[in-house]
Every structure is written in C-alpha cells, then in structure tokens.
Amino acid sequence: LPSPAPDIFGLAVRVLTEGGRHGDLLFATTGLGRLTRFTLTAARSPLQRPFTTLLPYRTPAGAVVMSAVYRDETTVTLAWAIASGAWHPFAELLLHENPVDEADAPLQFDPVINALPGLETYDWVRRLRAPAYHTARRSRGS
C-alpha cells in the first residue's frame, strides 16, 4: 500500500543445499505470540514487526514455525518453534546492498517446490497455498 498506510511485509531467504540445489523460506509480518505467529499483521516498516513463516512445516520434532526478527537495519535473527512453543534462535542474517545488474534474471521464490531438506510441507498447507502460487507462477510465465 502507498506510504504511510501500513502493509504486510515479506522476507524471502534462499538457502543453498547440497548438489547445487536450494531451498526457499518465505516470511510475512506477524506477531511472535502463541496465536499471533499465525496472524498476518500490518506495519509501516519491516523493521517494526517480526516475521514468521505463518504456516508450519512437518518435521520429525513436530510442526515447526520459523521467525525472522530485525535487530537493526542490517541484522536479522532467525528462530524456530514447535507449534506455539518457545522460540529458539539458530542463525543471523547479515544484509547488505547488492547492486542490481540488468542482465540478472529476477529471482522466483517458492517454498513448496524448493523445500529445504527436513522441512516437509503439510498437504493441507500445499492445498491452501496452491491457488495463490499457481496464479503467481502463471503471471511470471513459469
């Protein structure tokens, strides 16, 4: 939405995995509470609100949600939680400016197709996201 109206912000993270493959994580502005981690929350700046994956991943430990919280403009702390349990920090992202080369192809993130090893998408999550992801892929010509 145009400034100064609050909006939902997103953060996309691509993780390189073995064999030259990658996995994608998508985060949206939410809360960190037991219920608010599953609720989209508008903000005026991405620095004002935490982010979560909103929907859980199936893991051997149970349903896992991940969060991303800006500590400052260049540092983001990543954490995981089982369902509505306590958050456990596991990594920091250091952000930097990356000049855009017009020859670079635009990145396309898809956490269902590009799942990280150990993070399985529940069938109900896949069905819930399918219409939006189908529309996004079609609009990109993929």
Side-chain angles (χ1 to χ4, degrees):
L1 297 174
S3 186
D7 203 352
I8 304 296
F9 289 91
L11 175 68
V13 177
R14 175 153 290 164
V15 180
L16 298 178
T17 61
E18 291 182 8
R21 299 182 56 86
H22 65 269
D24 295 333
L25 292 171
L26 297 183
F27 298 86
T29 48
T30 62
L32 293 177
R34 295 172 64 94
L35 297 176
T36 59
R37 66 184 65 181
F38 304 108
T39 307
L40 292 172
T41 307
R44 287 192 168 82
S45 161
L47 302 176
Q48 292 179 317
R49 298 291 312 159
F51 295 71
T52 68
T53 52
L54 193 62
L55 299 170
Y57 288 95
R58 181 186 311 200
T59 74
V64 168
V65 180
M66 292 194 214
S67 69
V69 178
Y70 278 85
R71 281 195 5 223
D72 56 44
E73 290 185 7
T74 61
T75 308
V76 178
T77 300
L78 299 180
W80 63 270
I82 295 176
S84 59
W87 291 105
H88 304 278
F90 69 90
E92 283 191 347
L93 297 177
L94 300 177
L95 308 176
H96 60 88
E97 289 291 324
N98 187 17
V100 177
D101 182 348
E102 290 186 26
D104 287 344
L107 290 176
Q108 299 174 11
F109 294 88
D110 188 322
V112 174
I113 291 175
N114 302 318
L116 281 165
L119 296 178
E120 184 180 331
T121 303
Y122 284 100
D123 287 336
W124 66 268
V125 170
R126 189 176 293 109
R127 286 191 307 272
L128 183 67
R129 287 183 164 166
Y133 283 22
H134 176 74
T135 300
R137 289 182 197 115
R138 191 176 64 230
S139 72
R140 294 189 305 251
S142 335

